[in-house]
Amino acid sequence: MRINILSWLRRGPKALRIVNFIGIAYLLYWLIHFVSTSFKVGQAFAAMGIYVLYIVWLKHQRVANLRLAGMDEIDQMDGTEFQQRMLLHFQDLGWRAKSTKGSGNFGADLILTRPDGLKIVAQCKRYADPVGIDAVQEVVAAIRYYSADMAMMVTSSHLTKAARELARVNDVEVWERDELAQSLSELVDERSSVWEELKFRLGNTFRRRFR
């Protein structure tokens, strides 16, 4: 059976992931130490291994922090961070999601596929000011370029009246600040409910076992 080490390291609460990381780093160090003919070479390889694992762990922590970010944190993000946050959010909703290239993206930041197979091009705007009509025009044009079924506009702000009207007549799905906040909070509530249910079941199992 194939074991995905990185996937295994991502499982469990933060404390457990740190313990897993330290344990693997320790085992890697001693493995290299014993198979190496030179203790110094073993130390060098162990240090390299620990450094690589540390970089992987930092990357995972950054993704985890983005995944947990709510509206307050989103308001402090730049455009690229907001786009990454939305990609993770749609993945958590069960959609397939990928980013387009940063520049020359032909009007779409994300390519989304819903569970029902509908393909959507999306623009993500982390603005303080209202989003104008140009952004809607760009994402509408991206439908044909990416052979999508529809377009979507996601923003931490709001659309101008003209942009909202253009989105309506072109069947562009719009998530303004309130819709985005609701979607984020519903997912957090769902995760909390699952966690509370798990704790309840584990508690009952523990009490029955040691009663």
Side-chain angles (χ1 to χ4, degrees), residues 71 74-75 82 125-128 154-158 177 180:
M71 293 306 297
I74 283 174
D75 287 339
F82 180 60
K125 297 295 185 185
R126 212 301 294 162
Y127 283 0
V154 183
T155 178
S156 60
S157 180
H158 300 279
R177 186 176 183 86
L180 176 57

Side-chain angles (χ1 to χ4, degrees), residues 42-203:
Q43 282 185 315
F45 275 104
M48 290 172 60
I50 291 172
Y51 177 73
V52 170
L53 287 173
Y54 178 65
I55 295 300
V56 171
W57 180 75
L58 284 180
K59 183 177 180 180
H60 171 69
Q61 284 300 109
R62 179 180 179 277
V63 171
N65 290 337
L66 273 175
R67 184 169 259 118
L68 293 173
M71 293 306 297
D72 289 341
E73 291 82 7
I74 283 174
D75 287 339
Q76 306 302 317
M77 292 179 181
D78 59 27
T80 301
E81 291 171 332
F82 180 60
Q83 179 179 323
Q84 181 67 17
R85 177 66 181 95
M86 292 301 96
L87 182 143
L88 293 170
H89 181 61
F90 285 116
Q91 289 177 343
D92 290 342
L93 291 174
W95 299 24
R96 294 202 307 271
K98 64 178 182 179
S99 297
T100 59
K101 57 184 180 181
S103 59
N105 58 20
F106 298 97
D109 296 316
L110 301 177
I111 308 298
L112 310 171
T113 305
R114 294 193 328 203
D116 60 6
L118 195 71
K119 185 177 180 180
I120 303 171
V121 288
Q123 269 213 21
C124 305
K125 297 295 185 185
R126 212 301 294 162
Y127 283 0
D129 298 325
V131 178
I133 197 170
D134 290 348
V136 178
Q137 290 173 334
E138 290 172 1
V139 77
V140 169
I143 296 174
R144 186 171 181 179
Y145 181 82
Y146 290 102
S147 300
D149 299 300
M150 62 176 291
M152 187 175 188
M153 177 66 66
V154 183
T155 178
S156 60
S157 180
H158 300 279
L159 271 64
T160 64
K161 183 177 180 180
R164 196 177 295 113
E165 176 63 15
L166 183 62
R168 184 188 67 80
V169 299
N170 284 281
D171 295 321
V172 176
E173 183 173 352
V174 175
W175 284 16
E176 296 179 274
R177 186 176 183 86
D178 292 343
E179 290 86 357
L180 176 57
Q182 181 178 352
S183 183
L184 291 169
S185 63
E186 285 176 353
L187 196 58
V188 169
D189 291 342
E190 180 181 332
R191 285 174 170 168
S192 298
S193 299
V194 171
W195 174 240
E196 292 300 325
E197 176 68 15
L198 178 61
K199 288 196 295 185
F200 175 75
R201 290 181 181 274
L202 289 175

Side-chain angles (χ1 to χ4, degrees), residues 4-13 17 20 56 59-60:
N4 189 328
I5 295 297
L6 293 182
S7 176
W8 179 73
L9 279 173
R10 296 189 184 104
R11 296 176 185 173
R17 295 198 302 269
N20 289 339
V56 171
K59 183 177 180 180
H60 171 69

